Amino acid sequence: MMTVFMFAPIAVPLLAAIAYAAAGWRLATVWAGAVSAGLVLACAVGAAVEVVHSDSGAFSAGQGVLRADAPAAFLLLVVGAVALLATVATPAYLAAEIEAGRATDRTARWHCTAVQLFLAAMSLAVLAADLGLLWVAIEAAVLATGFLVGQGASRAAAEAAWKLVVICSAGLALALLGIVLLGYVGSDVDGVRIAVVLLVVGFGTMAGLAPLHAWLPDAHGQAPAPVAALLSGVLLSVAAYAILRVRAVSDAALGPTFGRVLLAVLAVVSLLVAASLLLAQRDYQRMLAYSSTGQLGLVALGAAIGGPLAIAAVLLQLLGHGLTKAVLFVGAGRIRQLTGTSRIDGVRGLAARHPMLAGAVAAALLALLGLPPFSLFASGLGIARAGFAAGLGWLVAIALLLALAIAIALIAHTSRMLLGEPPDSPGAATGVVRLPGSTTAALVGGLVVCAAAGIAAEPLATLLRLAADTLVGAP
């Protein structure tokens, strides 16, 4: 059974991609993407149950090519959950784009095909038994993402796609060099240090960490809303997972200090960049992208602190961030379709005309800011507690001050969009507009799961403890 749980998350999206490529955008296949993501999530749940109740805590398949342990099972849960939200919202989003003349049936067909290829690649990356296969899977996901970002056929979309492919491929080239170097240096300490730096910076590029984060706002700003949700909630999470694996290797070979310093620097720089750029942001999709850099900065902070509590909080942070960003980007996509603009100053009075949409976006923003009962409150508290316990209270204080600046900027921008009188702008929808049922399901479902993960300790807590112990090498 465990072999099925490991191969199905890769095979099912590939079959769905073939179905879309062969049958096109038809009613018979319009929900194939959501069914595929649901099966990936079901396999993730099954893998998590098997791992928690096994004596070894890990399973291999495919002659050792694939491996599922507690961290992999947890990340597969993140991939499946975020993908399910994004794919449930996709049919209504694409139908609205086609109706408005911004997309065609052919575009929708290849959009769904590429999304499924992306999902298969991300599942393979999580279940890969070594860093080399993980690297190959992430590179494949980058290529699929490049098409998805550039499908708008505008100059801005093409530039964003090329920037994503070029910068991320450059980062992955550094990571590949680190993997090769790590395999050849043996016990040479200086060589291992260089390899770890290359790996962390390379995968950090994919995670949207500064200073190689420039692809992130352009890609999120130009990508279709469900794709932006996958970028922020899945691609960044898997890249962060790769960094956690590298941190485990670094600690075993070099001790905790080297990895701690490297990740702490990236964390503070990322939070500082996000805070400074958010203050003057004028585009709400780019605003959400820069907030991802800040959120992944907190993930890097937790990874720098280390220890079971911090790593468990980091994993929970990835889940909460993925769910919250899926809700926010799905909501942002609907806002853009209704208002005809992605500029913050072009959106006013959402609460008056679109109360359901405005309520979901407001709740997701509160979740993103780490307020209870959502899981980002529990994960943020866990990172802070671990930091003070490790004697890094000064680092936690700096991060909290920068996070406060990010929160103020997000509240200031979003409140202007939600409140006030709605403008009578050309292309904007008038009157109270009901959301499509699938969009409502994605918005509400994401918020409910995020809140449940913050309130209910079990059974998620057991998996988190086992995953954290695995990553820190605890007995």
Side-chain angles (χ1 to χ4, degrees):
M1 182 60 71
M2 193 62 193
T3 301
V4 174
F5 291 151
M6 295 172 71
F7 279 106
I10 303 167
V12 170
L14 289 177
L15 292 175
I18 293 172
Y20 277 120
W25 178 253
R26 300 177 182 174
L27 290 178
T29 56
V30 70
W31 289 105
V35 172
S36 170
L39 289 174
V40 170
L41 180 58
C43 288
V45 173
V49 172
E50 292 287 341
V51 166
V52 168
H53 290 93
S54 71
D55 295 329
S56 63
F59 296 89
S60 297
Q63 302 299 317
V65 174
L66 302 180
R67 187 173 187 272
D69 55 7
F74 185 85
L75 260 293
L76 195 61
L77 283 173
V78 176
V79 171
V82 176
L84 181 59
L85 295 179
T87 51
V88 164
T90 294
Y93 177 86
L94 289 178
E97 292 293 290
I98 293 172
E99 183 179 356
R102 292 187 293 266
T104 63
D105 287 345
R106 182 176 181 273
T107 304
R109 171 186 184 181
W110 294 114
H111 168 104
C112 294
T113 301
V115 164
Q116 293 304 306
L117 293 175
F118 171 87
L119 181 55
M122 289 289 90
S123 298
L124 176 60
V126 170
L127 295 171
D130 58 73
L131 288 175
L133 183 58
L134 185 151
W135 182 92
V136 171
I138 293 181
E139 181 64 53
V142 168
L143 297 178
T145 305
F147 168 79
L148 290 166
V149 171
Q151 66 181 284
S154 66
R155 181 182 180 87
E159 289 179 354
W162 276 110
K163 183 178 287 189
L164 181 152
V165 172
V166 170
I167 295 178
C168 289
S169 294
L172 287 174
L174 294 177
L176 179 60
L177 182 59
I179 292 171
V180 173
L181 186 60
L182 194 63
Y184 279 94
V185 295
S187 59
D188 180 68
V189 173
D190 291 334
V192 174
R193 285 175 178 167
I194 295 172
V196 168
V197 170
L198 291 172
L199 284 163
V200 170
V201 172
F203 288 127
T205 301
M206 297 300 307
L209 294 174
L212 298 179
H213 66 288
W215 66 272
L216 192 67
D218 291 326
H220 285 68
Q222 294 299 320
V227 174
L230 291 172
L231 284 175
S232 191
V234 174
L235 184 61
L236 302 191
S237 296
V238 172
Y241 165 77
I243 292 175
L244 292 176
R245 292 291 194 185
V246 173
R247 173 67 200 268
V249 173
S250 174
D251 288 355
L254 304 172
T257 303
F258 183 78
R260 172 173 291 174
V261 172
L262 177 60
L263 288 167
V265 170
L266 289 177
V268 172
V269 171
S270 297
L271 286 164
L272 181 61
V273 167
S276 60
L277 293 177
L278 275 171
L279 292 174
Q281 193 51 239
R282 296 182 176 87
D283 184 291
Y284 53 81
Q285 288 182 282
R286 293 173 69 90
M287 173 188 75
L288 294 176
Y290 282 124
S291 73
S292 292
T293 296
Q295 287 290 318
L296 269 293
L298 293 176
V299 168
L301 174 66
I305 294 168
L309 175 58
I311 299 302
V314 163
L315 293 172
L316 185 59
Q317 180 90 3
L318 291 176
L319 175 62
H321 173 256
L323 293 170
T324 304
K325 278 303 176 62
V327 172
L328 284 169
F329 274 113
V330 168
R334 188 59 181 167
I335 291 172
R336 187 166 186 172
Q337 289 178 332
L338 292 169
T339 63
T341 181
S342 63
R343 291 184 60 85
I344 294 173
D345 58 11
V347 181
R348 293 291 183 273
L350 278 176
R353 285 184 176 171
H354 315 290
M356 179 63 201
L357 177 60
V361 169
L365 178 65
L366 295 178
L368 188 66
L369 298 180
L371 297 181
F374 299 103
S375 62
L376 286 174
F377 169 76
S379 60
L381 183 61
I383 291 173
R385 286 178 55 198
F388 282 107
L392 297 172
W394 60 272
L395 180 61
V396 173
I398 293 173
L400 290 178
L401 286 175
L402 293 173
L404 178 61
I406 291 173
I408 292 172
L410 289 173
I411 292 172
H413 294 320
T414 308
S415 61
R416 290 159 54 195
M417 298 168 58
L418 299 179
L419 305 177
E421 290 295 324
D424 294 323
S425 57
T430 59
V432 176
V433 180
R434 294 186 61 184
L435 286 173
S438 58
T439 304
T440 302
L443 296 175
V444 175
L447 291 171
V448 169
V449 175
C450 190
I455 297 172
E458 296 294 344
L460 198 60
T462 301
L463 181 62
L464 280 171
R465 285 195 296 268
L466 184 58
D469 289 343
T470 301
L471 290 172
V472 300

Short mmCIF file of all heavy atoms in Angstrom, two decimals, residues 10 81 93 241 361 375 413:
data_model
loop_
_atom_site.label_atom_id
_atom_site.label_comp_id
_atom_site.label_asym_id
_atom_site.label_seq_id
_atom_site.Cartn_x
_atom_site.Cartn_y
_atom_site.Cartn_z
N ILE A 10 2.60 11.03 -8.20
CA ILE A 10 3.33 11.41 -9.41
C ILE A 10 2.57 10.95 -10.65
O ILE A 10 2.43 11.69 -11.62
CB ILE A 10 4.75 10.79 -9.40
CG1 ILE A 10 5.49 11.22 -8.14
CG2 ILE A 10 5.53 11.18 -10.65
CD1 ILE A 10 6.75 10.43 -7.87
N ALA A 81 -2.91 19.81 -0.42
CA ALA A 81 -3.93 20.73 0.08
C ALA A 81 -3.99 22.01 -0.73
O ALA A 81 -5.06 22.48 -1.13
CB ALA A 81 -3.67 21.04 1.56
N TYR A 93 -12.39 30.37 -12.73
CA TYR A 93 -11.46 31.43 -13.14
C TYR A 93 -11.26 31.41 -14.65
O TYR A 93 -11.35 32.46 -15.32
CB TYR A 93 -10.13 31.25 -12.42
CG TYR A 93 -9.10 32.26 -12.83
CD1 TYR A 93 -9.03 33.51 -12.21
CD2 TYR A 93 -8.19 32.00 -13.85
CE1 TYR A 93 -8.09 34.46 -12.59
CE2 TYR A 93 -7.25 32.94 -14.25
CZ TYR A 93 -7.20 34.16 -13.61
OH TYR A 93 -6.28 35.09 -14.01
N TYR A 241 11.60 23.21 1.90
CA TYR A 241 11.83 21.83 2.33
C TYR A 241 13.23 21.37 1.93
O TYR A 241 13.93 20.70 2.71
CB TYR A 241 10.76 20.95 1.70
CG TYR A 241 11.02 19.46 1.72
CD1 TYR A 241 10.84 18.73 2.88
CD2 TYR A 241 11.42 18.80 0.57
CE1 TYR A 241 11.05 17.36 2.90
CE2 TYR A 241 11.64 17.43 0.57
CZ TYR A 241 11.46 16.72 1.74
OH TYR A 241 11.68 15.36 1.75
N VAL A 361 -11.06 37.59 2.03
CA VAL A 361 -9.75 38.23 1.90
C VAL A 361 -9.32 38.82 3.25
O VAL A 361 -8.15 38.70 3.65
CB VAL A 361 -9.79 39.32 0.81
CG1 VAL A 361 -8.52 40.19 0.85
CG2 VAL A 361 -9.95 38.69 -0.56
N SER A 375 -3.29 28.84 12.01
CA SER A 375 -2.08 28.08 12.32
C SER A 375 -0.82 28.94 12.30
O SER A 375 0.17 28.60 12.96
CB SER A 375 -1.93 26.92 11.32
OG SER A 375 -1.79 27.41 10.00
N HIS A 413 -2.63 48.82 3.04
CA HIS A 413 -3.01 48.65 1.63
C HIS A 413 -4.35 47.94 1.49
O HIS A 413 -5.22 48.36 0.71
CB HIS A 413 -1.93 47.86 0.89
CG HIS A 413 -0.63 48.58 0.76
ND1 HIS A 413 -0.54 49.93 0.49
CD2 HIS A 413 0.66 48.14 0.86
CE1 HIS A 413 0.73 50.29 0.42
NE2 HIS A 413 1.48 49.22 0.65
#
